[in-house]
Amino acid sequence: MGDIIIKYQIRSHPEEKPKNVRCYFDTGSSRTFVKHSIASHLVGTRELSHPRAFFGFGNGSFIATDMIEVEFKLLNLWVPHLCYVVPDETLDPDYDVLVGHDFMQIYDVHLLLKDRKVLIQKNALKMALRIR
């Protein structure tokens, strides 16, 4: 599992003022999650057609009732990603967004665990943005 927390800016609309959030990169999570307190300050949260159950985080379970598309500012590019909105207490108090494998695979993000760094390549971001 990854164990890297880095601050990034996110927004849900180009005219929205970006918000600084702490992102926890977790290679063991298949999805990306954002705390309700963060999503509630952004535009565009949408209710799911039915609550979605997830399992994990210490062998527990939790439910997401909403999703939001946010843009992460990486290397001066805004990259979009769909995130499940979860109750704040679902995620650790040390971070606001849990960045899962889905995000890392789309944008070819690699974790350098030994150095506690995230490797992001601008060409990979540009390619992913073109293909979308």
XYZ file of all heavy atoms in Angstrom, residues 17-87:
570
model
N -12.778 28.995 -7.465
C -11.492 29.211 -6.815
C -10.949 27.855 -6.357
O -11.626 27.105 -5.651
C -11.657 30.137 -5.610
C -10.353 30.456 -4.934
C -10.537 31.390 -3.766
C -9.180 31.615 -3.109
N -9.296 32.419 -1.904
N -9.713 27.504 -6.739
C -9.137 26.220 -6.332
C -9.010 26.100 -4.813
O -8.820 27.085 -4.111
C -7.750 26.215 -6.981
C -7.845 27.202 -8.089
C -8.815 28.252 -7.616
N -9.121 24.886 -4.346
C -9.035 24.579 -2.921
C -7.811 23.696 -2.705
O -7.595 22.741 -3.440
C -10.312 23.855 -2.508
C -10.435 23.581 -1.044
C -11.867 23.119 -0.756
C -12.177 23.056 0.691
N -11.921 24.238 1.462
N -7.001 24.023 -1.702
C -5.850 23.187 -1.361
C -6.322 22.013 -0.515
O -7.008 22.220 0.488
C -4.803 23.987 -0.587
C -4.126 25.012 -1.463
O -3.750 24.717 -2.585
N -3.974 26.215 -0.961
N -5.956 20.808 -0.927
C -6.345 19.612 -0.184
C -5.141 18.697 -0.013
O -4.190 18.736 -0.789
C -7.490 18.832 -0.883
C -8.765 19.649 -0.936
C -7.083 18.379 -2.278
N -5.214 17.875 1.014
C -4.176 16.877 1.269
C -4.624 15.568 0.631
O -5.679 15.035 0.970
C -3.973 16.696 2.763
C -3.484 17.970 3.457
C -3.722 17.942 4.939
N -5.176 17.837 5.163
C -5.729 17.422 6.278
N -4.988 17.076 7.306
N -7.036 17.350 6.408
N -3.814 15.069 -0.291
C -4.138 13.854 -1.036
C -3.268 12.700 -0.561
O -2.038 12.798 -0.552
C -3.916 14.077 -2.529
S -4.991 15.333 -3.239
N -3.936 11.635 -0.185
C -3.258 10.415 0.259
C -3.287 9.429 -0.901
O -4.365 9.044 -1.367
C -3.973 9.843 1.475
C -3.493 8.490 1.919
C -2.240 8.323 2.492
C -4.305 7.366 1.788
C -1.809 7.074 2.922
C -3.877 6.115 2.210
C -2.631 5.977 2.773
O -2.203 4.748 3.183
N -2.144 9.047 -1.390
C -2.036 8.112 -2.506
C -1.996 6.692 -1.957
O -1.077 6.333 -1.221
C -0.782 8.419 -3.337
C -0.934 9.673 -4.150
C -0.769 10.919 -3.580
C -1.282 9.600 -5.489
C -0.927 12.083 -4.313
C -1.449 10.756 -6.238
C -1.265 12.004 -5.651
N -3.001 5.919 -2.308
C -3.164 4.575 -1.757
C -3.304 3.557 -2.884
O -4.369 3.430 -3.487
C -4.393 4.536 -0.852
C -4.580 3.204 -0.161
O -3.767 2.285 -0.380
O -5.545 3.082 0.608
N -2.232 2.835 -3.161
C -2.262 1.839 -4.235
C -3.175 0.670 -3.898
O -3.558 -0.096 -4.779
C -0.844 1.299 -4.523
O -0.327 0.722 -3.312
C 0.068 2.397 -5.014
N -3.565 0.526 -2.653
C -4.447 -0.566 -2.245
C -5.919 -0.253 -2.441
O -6.770 -1.121 -2.290
N -6.242 0.995 -2.788
C -7.636 1.373 -3.006
C -7.924 1.404 -4.500
O -7.198 2.040 -5.270
C -7.911 2.750 -2.401
O -9.236 3.139 -2.682
N -8.990 0.757 -4.909
C -9.321 0.732 -6.334
C -9.992 2.020 -6.792
O -10.004 2.331 -7.974
C -10.215 -0.468 -6.654
O -11.419 -0.376 -5.921
N -10.545 2.786 -5.883
C -11.285 4.002 -6.215
C -10.718 5.224 -5.490
O -9.946 5.099 -4.549
C -12.759 3.858 -5.818
C -13.442 2.687 -6.437
C -13.749 2.949 -7.882
N -14.507 1.811 -8.410
C -14.473 1.437 -9.650
N -13.743 2.089 -10.508
N -15.174 0.416 -10.062
N -11.183 6.408 -5.924
C -10.769 7.665 -5.322
C -11.947 8.249 -4.545
O -13.080 8.252 -5.038
C -10.291 8.638 -6.414
O -9.133 8.058 -7.039
C -9.924 9.996 -5.842
N -11.677 8.724 -3.340
C -12.714 9.220 -2.437
C -12.358 10.618 -1.940
O -11.193 10.923 -1.705
C -12.845 8.293 -1.219
C -13.146 6.868 -1.583
C -12.132 5.931 -1.690
C -14.450 6.461 -1.833
C -12.410 4.610 -2.031
C -14.737 5.156 -2.175
C -13.714 4.230 -2.274
N -13.382 11.433 -1.762
C -13.199 12.780 -1.219
C -14.154 12.947 -0.037
O -15.276 12.441 -0.056
C -13.431 13.866 -2.299
C -14.835 13.810 -2.859
C -13.106 15.248 -1.770
N -13.684 13.640 0.981
C -14.513 13.878 2.163
C -15.689 14.789 1.827
O -15.556 15.728 1.041
C -13.678 14.530 3.279
C -12.711 13.596 3.933
C -11.958 14.306 5.042
C -11.012 13.345 5.761
N -10.248 14.040 6.805
N -16.794 14.534 2.476
C -18.003 15.329 2.278
C -17.743 16.806 2.571
O -18.221 17.690 1.846
C -19.132 14.797 3.165
C -20.386 15.586 3.025
N -20.683 16.662 3.837
C -21.404 15.482 2.137
C -21.832 17.176 3.463
N -22.293 16.481 2.434
N -16.977 17.109 3.603
C -16.714 18.517 3.956
C -15.962 19.249 2.854
O -16.108 20.468 2.703
C -15.932 18.608 5.272
O -14.673 17.981 5.141
N -15.188 18.542 2.063
C -14.476 19.151 0.929
C -15.436 19.299 -0.247
O -15.563 20.364 -0.847
C -13.248 18.305 0.525
C -12.251 18.201 1.683
C -12.588 18.868 -0.731
C -11.673 19.508 2.157
N -16.141 18.214 -0.581
C -17.062 18.222 -1.719
C -18.176 19.249 -1.535
O -18.633 19.851 -2.510
C -17.645 16.827 -1.932
N -18.591 19.473 -0.297
C -19.698 20.405 -0.043
C -19.327 21.852 -0.356
O -20.216 22.691 -0.515
C -20.184 20.276 1.407
O -19.188 20.724 2.306
N -18.037 22.139 -0.480
C -17.590 23.489 -0.835
C -17.302 23.622 -2.334
O -16.798 24.648 -2.781
C -16.344 23.862 -0.031
C -16.640 24.113 1.410
N -16.586 23.116 2.349
C -17.032 25.235 2.053
C -16.916 23.616 3.529
N -17.195 24.903 3.376
N -17.590 22.558 -3.081
C -17.377 22.564 -4.519
C -18.728 22.465 -5.229
O -19.713 22.012 -4.652
C -16.482 21.385 -4.929
C -15.090 21.347 -4.304
C -14.409 20.022 -4.614
C -14.245 22.515 -4.785
N -18.746 22.842 -6.491
C -19.967 22.789 -7.288
C -20.066 21.431 -7.979
O -19.066 20.903 -8.443
C -19.932 23.906 -8.360
C -21.139 23.833 -9.270
C -19.831 25.260 -7.702
N -21.268 20.880 -8.031
C -21.481 19.715 -8.885
C -21.577 18.360 -8.223
O -21.516 17.350 -8.910
N -21.742 18.304 -6.911
C -21.939 17.001 -6.273
C -23.258 16.423 -6.778
O -24.271 17.124 -6.835
C -21.979 17.145 -4.739
O -20.740 17.702 -4.309
C -22.163 15.802 -4.062
N -23.244 15.160 -7.161
C -24.433 14.493 -7.694
C -24.745 13.248 -6.882
O -23.854 12.445 -6.575
C -24.231 14.081 -9.153
C -23.970 15.231 -10.080
C -25.237 16.048 -10.301
N -24.999 17.100 -11.252
C -25.049 18.389 -10.954
N -25.298 18.782 -9.735
N -24.845 19.312 -11.872
N -26.012 13.090 -6.582
C -26.456 11.923 -5.833
C -26.424 10.693 -6.737
O -26.848 10.744 -7.901
C -27.873 12.152 -5.314
C -28.359 11.057 -4.389
C -29.723 11.366 -3.804
O -30.237 12.474 -4.001
O -30.276 10.466 -3.145
N -25.910 9.601 -6.204
C -25.915 8.334 -6.940
C -27.343 7.796 -7.009
O -28.169 8.098 -6.149
C -25.015 7.312 -6.240
C -23.527 7.657 -6.172
C -22.801 6.682 -5.256
C -22.914 7.637 -7.551
N -27.635 6.974 -8.002
C -28.979 6.411 -8.131
C -29.328 5.511 -6.951
O -30.496 5.346 -6.619
C -29.110 5.629 -9.439
O -28.162 4.584 -9.476
N -28.305 4.951 -6.330
C -28.477 4.175 -5.101
C -27.142 4.198 -4.343
O -26.082 4.347 -4.955
C -28.915 2.733 -5.402
C -27.928 1.979 -6.234
N -27.833 2.127 -7.603
C -26.970 1.094 -5.887
C -26.859 1.352 -8.059
N -26.315 0.717 -7.044
N -27.170 4.096 -3.022
C -25.917 4.118 -2.247
C -24.981 2.996 -2.688
O -25.422 1.885 -3.001
C -26.387 3.900 -0.811
C -27.808 4.314 -0.808
C -28.343 3.976 -2.168
N -23.722 3.294 -2.731
C -22.708 2.317 -3.150
C -21.901 1.899 -1.928
O -21.317 2.728 -1.238
C -21.803 2.958 -4.195
C -20.603 2.166 -4.602
C -20.945 1.163 -5.701
N -19.868 0.213 -5.865
C -18.863 0.339 -6.729
N -18.816 1.370 -7.527
N -17.932 -0.571 -6.792
N -21.877 0.596 -1.668
C -21.130 0.065 -0.519
C -19.702 -0.270 -0.933
O -19.456 -0.770 -2.026
C -21.816 -1.184 0.019
N -18.773 0.020 -0.041
C -17.363 -0.298 -0.231
C -16.865 -1.022 1.006
O -17.404 -0.854 2.100
C -16.533 0.977 -0.437
C -16.838 1.690 -1.710
C -17.766 2.728 -1.724
C -16.218 1.336 -2.891
C -18.055 3.401 -2.897
C -16.504 1.993 -4.078
C -17.430 3.029 -4.072
N -15.820 -1.804 0.820
C -15.244 -2.552 1.925
C -13.745 -2.296 1.959
O -13.107 -2.184 0.934
C -15.535 -4.050 1.760
C -17.005 -4.323 1.666
C -17.636 -4.384 0.432
C -17.773 -4.463 2.811
C -18.999 -4.595 0.337
C -19.131 -4.679 2.727
C -19.755 -4.742 1.486
N -13.217 -2.201 3.140
C -11.788 -1.928 3.280
C -11.550 -1.000 4.447
O -12.365 -0.918 5.362
N -10.444 -0.279 4.393
C -10.073 0.629 5.477
C -10.177 -0.080 6.819
O -11.060 0.197 7.618
C -10.923 1.896 5.487
C -10.873 2.703 4.220
C -11.993 3.332 3.740
C -9.699 2.845 3.509
C -11.945 4.089 2.578
C -9.646 3.588 2.351
C -10.771 4.207 1.892
N -9.304 -1.023 7.046
C -9.296 -1.752 8.308
C -10.381 -2.806 8.369
O -10.956 -3.075 9.416
N -10.692 -3.413 7.231
C -11.717 -4.460 7.126
C -13.113 -3.963 7.479
O -13.990 -4.738 7.825
C -11.353 -5.680 7.977
C -10.130 -6.382 7.443
O -9.937 -6.439 6.228
N -9.300 -6.884 8.328
N -13.325 -2.662 7.403
C -14.646 -2.103 7.661
C -15.420 -1.947 6.367
O -14.986 -2.338 5.294
N -16.590 -1.363 6.482
C -17.390 -1.057 5.299
C -17.917 0.364 5.443
O -18.028 0.900 6.544
C -18.530 -2.056 5.146
O -19.421 -1.954 6.230
N -18.224 0.967 4.322
C -18.749 2.323 4.319
C -19.562 2.508 3.046
O -19.495 1.704 2.125
C -17.629 3.360 4.430
C -16.616 3.289 3.320
C -16.698 4.136 2.229
C -15.568 2.382 3.373
C -15.765 4.074 1.204
C -14.623 2.315 2.357
C -14.730 3.162 1.278
N -20.333 3.600 3.018
C -21.234 3.839 1.892
C -20.989 5.229 1.325
O -20.777 6.187 2.073
C -22.697 3.703 2.361
C -22.930 2.287 2.816
C -23.662 4.163 1.305
C -24.321 1.791 2.812
N -21.043 5.320 0.009
C -21.016 6.608 -0.680
C -22.399 6.832 -1.284
O -22.980 5.910 -1.861
C -19.958 6.614 -1.770
N -22.929 8.023 -1.124
C -24.234 8.346 -1.692
C -24.125 9.369 -2.820
O -25.102 9.610 -3.522
C -25.193 8.895 -0.614
O -24.591 10.041 -0.016
C -25.490 7.840 0.437
N -22.933 9.958 -2.976
C -22.731 10.991 -3.993
C -21.411 10.800 -4.721
O -20.518 10.097 -4.244
C -22.706 12.380 -3.328
C -23.998 12.712 -2.624
O -24.971 13.029 -3.314
O -24.024 12.653 -1.381
N -21.305 11.465 -5.878
C -20.059 11.544 -6.644
C -19.847 12.991 -7.043
O -20.803 13.777 -7.077
C -20.130 10.694 -7.912
C -20.010 9.213 -7.682
S -19.757 8.346 -9.236
C -17.969 8.464 -9.342
N -18.612 13.307 -7.367
C -18.288 14.630 -7.889
C -17.097 14.500 -8.829
O -16.182 13.709 -8.583
C -17.988 15.643 -6.754
C -17.837 17.058 -7.316
C -16.778 15.213 -5.934
C -17.805 18.146 -6.258
N -17.144 15.255 -9.926
C -15.987 15.310 -10.793
C -15.161 16.513 -10.378
O -15.664 17.643 -10.377
C -16.360 15.436 -12.270
C -15.118 15.440 -13.147
C -15.417 15.500 -14.634
O -16.292 16.281 -15.032
O -14.755 14.779 -15.383
N -13.940 16.265 -9.977
C -13.041 17.351 -9.611
C -11.865 17.368 -10.576
O -11.593 16.381 -11.262
C -12.526 17.242 -8.147
C -13.673 17.300 -7.166
C -11.712 15.998 -7.938
N -11.205 18.489 -10.628
C -9.992 18.615 -11.413
C -8.835 18.819 -10.437
O -8.931 19.644 -9.522
C -10.077 19.818 -12.357
C -11.139 19.668 -13.412
C -11.240 20.892 -14.320
O -10.968 22.020 -13.853
O -11.581 20.701 -15.483
N -7.792 18.050 -10.634
C -6.583 18.154 -9.829
C -5.561 18.948 -10.639
O -5.389 18.694 -11.832
C -5.990 16.764 -9.553
C -6.818 15.914 -8.655
C -7.948 15.256 -9.135
C -6.461 15.729 -7.322
C -8.709 14.447 -8.307
C -7.214 14.926 -6.495
C -8.343 14.283 -6.981
N -4.879 19.887 -10.000
C -3.831 20.636 -10.694
C -2.512 19.908 -10.510
O -1.932 19.888 -9.428
C -3.728 22.066 -10.164
C -2.804 22.925 -11.012
C -2.834 24.370 -10.574
C -2.016 25.228 -11.526
N -2.001 26.631 -11.080
N -2.064 19.302 -11.600
C -0.815 18.545 -11.598
C 0.091 19.118 -12.685
O -0.309 19.164 -13.859
C -1.078 17.057 -11.883
C -2.080 16.347 -10.977
C -2.324 14.933 -11.484
C -1.592 16.325 -9.542
N 1.260 19.559 -12.316
C 2.239 20.117 -13.255
C 1.612 21.200 -14.136
O 1.794 21.223 -15.350
C 2.844 19.002 -14.107
C 3.521 17.859 -13.348
C 4.049 16.805 -14.313
C 4.646 18.381 -12.469
N 0.821 22.068 -13.520
C 0.147 23.180 -14.189
C -0.904 22.754 -15.213
O -1.276 23.540 -16.085
C 1.143 24.149 -14.831
C 1.779 25.047 -13.790
O 1.137 25.411 -12.808
N 3.029 25.388 -13.988
N -1.358 21.519 -15.120
C -2.472 21.036 -15.945
C -3.617 20.653 -15.018
O -3.390 20.072 -13.950
C -2.065 19.804 -16.760
C -1.022 20.002 -17.856
C -0.616 18.655 -18.434
C -1.569 20.907 -18.951
N -4.833 20.949 -15.423
C -6.012 20.532 -14.656
C -6.512 19.217 -15.236
O -6.884 19.160 -16.412
C -7.094 21.603 -14.724
C -6.756 22.813 -13.918
C -6.238 23.989 -14.374
C -6.877 22.947 -12.496
N -6.036 24.853 -13.317
C -6.429 24.244 -12.154
C -7.330 22.108 -11.478
C -6.419 24.720 -10.852
C -7.324 22.582 -10.172
C -6.872 23.870 -9.867
N -6.485 18.171 -14.428
C -6.908 16.848 -14.900
C -8.173 16.415 -14.150
O -8.225 16.463 -12.930
C -5.779 15.798 -14.763
C -4.571 16.203 -15.594
C -5.360 15.601 -13.324
N -9.213 16.013 -14.889
C -10.481 15.652 -14.263
C -10.494 14.221 -13.747
O -9.814 13.344 -14.286
C -11.484 15.819 -15.410
C -10.685 15.499 -16.634
C -9.290 15.984 -16.346
N -11.296 14.016 -12.695
C -11.468 12.657 -12.184
C -12.752 12.572 -11.359
O -13.055 13.472 -10.575
C -10.273 12.245 -11.322
C -10.230 10.791 -11.064
N -9.937 9.870 -12.049
C -10.475 10.078 -9.953
C -9.985 8.659 -11.538
N -10.328 8.760 -10.266
N -13.484 11.481 -11.541
C -14.684 11.231 -10.750
C -14.291 10.654 -9.399
O -13.499 9.708 -9.325
C -15.606 10.241 -11.464
C -16.378 10.780 -12.644
C -17.104 9.650 -13.358
C -17.358 11.844 -12.200
N -14.861 11.225 -8.351
C -14.560 10.789 -6.987
C -15.860 10.452 -6.263
O -16.869 11.146 -6.431
C -13.865 11.902 -6.202
S -12.351 12.531 -6.924
N -15.821 9.430 -5.451
C -16.932 9.137 -4.561
C -16.826 10.050 -3.349
O -15.740 10.266 -2.817
C -16.901 7.678 -4.105
C -17.341 6.713 -5.174
C -16.404 6.044 -5.949
C -18.687 6.469 -5.413
C -16.799 5.163 -6.939
C -19.093 5.590 -6.392
C -18.146 4.935 -7.157
O -18.544 4.063 -8.137
N -17.965 10.581 -2.919
C -18.023 11.441 -1.733
C -18.402 10.568 -0.546
O -19.396 9.837 -0.598
C -19.061 12.571 -1.919
C -19.141 13.434 -0.672
C -18.715 13.410 -3.151
N -17.586 10.634 0.513
C -17.816 9.791 1.688
C -17.872 10.655 2.945
O -17.313 11.756 2.972
C -16.724 8.702 1.837
C -16.760 7.730 0.661
C -15.343 9.313 1.964
N -18.533 10.154 3.982
C -18.532 10.899 5.251
C -17.098 11.146 5.718
O -16.216 10.301 5.532
C -19.270 9.967 6.215
C -20.104 9.087 5.339
C -19.312 8.913 4.065
